[in-house]
Amino acid sequence: MTTTETAPTYSGDIYTDAALLEPYEDYRALRELSPAVWLEKHGAYAVARYDEARAVLMDSDTFRSANGIALNEPANEAILGCTLASDGELHAHLRQVVAHRLTPRALRPMKDLVRERADELVAELVERKSFDAVADLARALPLSIVPDFIGWPQEGREHLLRWAGANFDSFGPMNERAQRAMPQCGEMAAFGAEVVRTGNVLPGSLGAGVLEARDKGEVTTEQTMMLMLDYLAPSLDTTISAVGSAIWLFSQHPDQWDLLREDPSLIPNAVNEIVRIESPIRAFGRLANVDTEIGGVPVPAGSRVLVIYASANRDERKFERPDEFDVTRRDAVHQLGFGLGDHGCAGQGLARMETESLLHALAQRVTRFHVGETERALNNLIRAFGTVQVTVDTED
Amino acid sequence: MKIEVDYKRCEGHGLCEDQAPDVFELDDEGDLIYQFEGQDVPAEHQTAAARGAAACPVAALRVVQ
Ligand code: HEM
Ligand code: SF4
């Protein structure tokens, strides 16, 4: 392809508190400008349109994840060698060691458990009428499922959410939030290393499987530590974000909730639509391996590239009425909120199962959500609510 | 139109089946069965097949021609 333009420059900081709270106007401006826009403040090319975001994700030979995921060097160094931040054969190998435990088939035995937990939780909350949809619902289900599934020992679990949040903050530019996060990422890594050293994981869990792989010589001890972090850090906050956003969205769009209640077979598509319109992970980076182009805009070797899933998912070039929440949207499944291709989210089967189970349980009981106080949880990477106070109406 | 399936890459997410149940099917083991392996996709199934291929979250399905 011939390269015709050079990338325009965007001088705004898209990681200030204000920008993180209301990101969508910045994203729209980036999409308007060009397929690739130089983010002066962050030293990276923003890829904000759908087609180009998809193309970058699909071309993992050119756009590398090792040293590429975060917008700052210390964080990239800290995660080098985990599945998320590796390439090529190493990546395929690491992914294969664990990901087969997360495929829909492997998760089938989990389905009843997740459904049951979701039902119990929702029944109790609906009884109470008023609750915090983040603390009491969105956090409660993943916390009752995922740490056991990964096999994390009981001691240390009280830190999981703080560590996971810090991990995602550290992937942004080296702003104050990232600086504050770095020591906590260190704590998490040290804890992961200790778990591997002592073999203190629940029997039969995903973590136990990783240790077995080490004992069989399939992965090194160091890789084992990275794999533990791989499945710990991204498995909670992401799903929590999606569920919190879901309740808020349905409270604002009661007509959409009615549709779901009338036809629960819409629930899987609704999960795609939630992840499309309020993408839990805003963006991840890549490193251009060779001189290349993005949508005709030249991008030199060694450039940092930022794939903004949350913007691609609202690209008016791809989605009709992109800012409208529509659970019947036919192409919602094309959303990129779980990534795509080689690094496409390995845990999406579990995330979908958790979110769908909660929506099922709620759809059986709740007719309306009335939202009171809400508060955003600011994070460089994750878009989420910290609080969504809600009161529910039921049929009787 | 043909579809190339990378069976090694397929993780059985089943999103292709949701979009195009006449074209893609997961068997009881969760393995993907593609109805038109090695053939052209019949005209009446092409739209659905393309939608299914685009839905695969790990890009195991590729439309060729
Ligand atoms: C709504 C919930 C979730 C969202 C929105 C989400 C989003 C993502 C995204 C965007 C990526 C792509 C990374 C890239 O392009 O470099 C990813 C990768 C990944 N996710 Fe998720 N995720 C979710 C839930 C989970 C859960 C529950 C787990 C684990 C149980 C998980 C584990 C992973 C892993 C291990 C990777 C790295 C895969 C690789 O590099 O091959 N995720 N996720
Ligand atoms: S959507 Fe992709 S991963 Fe899922 S069953 Fe179809 S081909 Fe396999």
Side-chain angles (χ1 to χ4, degrees), chain A residues 316-356:
Chain A
E316 39 292 281
R317 293 158 195 79
K318 164 70 184 171
F319 296 104
E320 282 172 28
R321 305 165 282 112
D323 299 326
E324 220 173 278
F325 179 55
D326 175 3
V327 297
T328 66
R329 188 183 288 280
R330 288 213 62 169
D331 56 356
V333 67
H334 292 173
Q335 54 83 18
L336 299 177
F338 288 108
L340 187 75
D342 282 353
H343 290 277
C345 180
Q348 60 186 291
L350 186 55
R352 288 177 192 277
M353 189 184 281
E354 292 175 85
T355 312
E356 288 174 14

Side-chain angles (χ1 to χ4, degrees), chain A residues 92-150:
Chain A
H93 177 62
L94 293 173
R95 180 150 174 146
Q96 168 264 316
V97 171
V98 187
H100 68 94
R101 292 176 163 268
L102 284 163
T103 60
R105 180 191 341 188
L107 287 174
R108 222 177 273 162
M110 291 278 289
K111 204 166 187 165
D112 291 341
L113 174 74
V114 175
R115 277 266 163 110
E116 248 167 60
R117 290 269 171 89
D119 269 337
E120 282 166 21
L121 180 65
V122 166
E124 188 202 311
L125 292 176
V126 167
E127 186 81 10
R128 262 205 254 164
K129 289 262 183 224
S130 292
F131 53 92
D132 179 352
V134 177
D136 302 330
L137 182 78
R139 282 191 201 131
L141 184 73
L143 278 178
S144 82
I145 301 276
V146 179
D148 283 341
F149 178 72
I150 296 185

Side-chain angles (χ1 to χ4, degrees), chain A residues 38 53 173 184 195 198 285 360:
Chain A
W38 178 246
Q184 304 184 51
V195 166
T198 55
H360 263 288

Side-chain angles (χ1 to χ4, degrees), chain A residues 127-379:
Chain A
E127 186 81 10
R128 262 205 254 164
K129 289 262 183 224
S130 292
F131 53 92
D132 179 352
V134 177
D136 302 330
L137 182 78
R139 282 191 201 131
L141 184 73
L143 278 178
S144 82
I145 301 276
V146 179
D148 283 341
F149 178 72
I150 296 185
W152 213 244
Q154 290 296 339
E155 59 273 22
R157 284 191 184 187
E158 66 276 19
H159 304 299
L160 286 181
L161 284 178
R162 183 170 58 84
W163 285 341
N167 179 70
F168 281 121
D169 264 338
S170 79
F171 290 177
M174 206 23 108
N175 56 13
E176 251 177 64
R177 254 184 299 278
Q179 279 165 18
R180 271 198 310 268
M182 287 312 277
Q184 304 184 51
C185 297
E187 276 176 42
M188 176 168 79
F191 193 78
E194 180 69 10
V195 166
V196 171
R197 200 180 58 76
T198 55
N200 186 11
V201 292
L202 304 181
S205 62
L206 182 148
V210 175
L211 289 180
E212 278 161 31
R214 194 241 346 233
D215 295 341
K216 283 191 253 163
E218 290 169 16
V219 284
T220 65
T221 297
E222 202 168 305
Q223 287 172 337
T224 313
M225 291 174 189
M226 296 318 282
L227 281 169
M228 291 286 179
L229 299 184
D230 254 324
Y231 286 89
L232 185 76
S235 54
L236 293 168
D237 287 36
T238 47
T239 316
I240 293 168
S241 153
V243 173
S245 294
I247 303 305
W248 181 76
L249 284 163
F250 284 119
S251 77
Q252 306 300 304
H253 303 277
D255 56 316
Q256 297 294 309
W257 186 244
D258 290 341
L259 287 173
L260 212 69
R261 296 191 65 224
E262 273 158 38
D263 181 5
S265 74
L266 286 172
I267 288 176
N269 200 55
V271 172
N272 281 317
E273 178 67 354
I274 292 159
V275 172
R276 185 192 70 81
I277 199 160
E278 287 291 339
S279 307
I281 296 184
R282 302 165 194 275
F284 271 134
R286 295 290 191 268
L287 192 67
N289 196 27
V290 291
D291 287 343
T292 181
E293 53 84 23
I294 293 173
V297 177
V299 170
S303 302
R304 229 188 252 303
V305 171
L306 187 69
V307 182
I308 309 179
Y309 313 105
S311 171
N313 283 341
R314 288 188 182 224
D315 187 349
E316 39 292 281
R317 293 158 195 79
K318 164 70 184 171
F319 296 104
E320 282 172 28
R321 305 165 282 112
D323 299 326
E324 220 173 278
F325 179 55
D326 175 3
V327 297
T328 66
R329 188 183 288 280
R330 288 213 62 169
D331 56 356
V333 67
H334 292 173
Q335 54 83 18
L336 299 177
F338 288 108
L340 187 75
D342 282 353
H343 290 277
C345 180
Q348 60 186 291
L350 186 55
R352 288 177 192 277
M353 189 184 281
E354 292 175 85
T355 312
E356 288 174 14
S357 298
L358 285 174
L359 291 178
H360 263 288
L362 288 163
Q364 283 169 10
R365 299 175 174 88
V366 173
T367 52
R368 280 289 177 274
F369 299 100
H370 305 283
V371 163
E373 194 197 328
T374 63
E375 197 185 292
R376 284 271 167 199
L378 278 187
N379 184 286

Side-chain angles (χ1 to χ4, degrees), chain A residues 14-51:
Chain A
I14 62 170
Y15 289 90
T16 61
D17 287 5
L20 293 180
L21 281 171
E22 282 304 329
Y24 297 115
E25 284 312 312
D26 275 319
Y27 296 163
R28 191 189 315 280
L30 291 170
R31 289 196 301 271
E32 288 291 302
L33 274 171
S34 168
V37 179
W38 178 246
L39 295 172
E40 196 177 53
K41 285 276 188 318
H42 310 305
Y45 289 92
V47 183
R49 294 186 189 171
Y50 183 89
D51 283 349

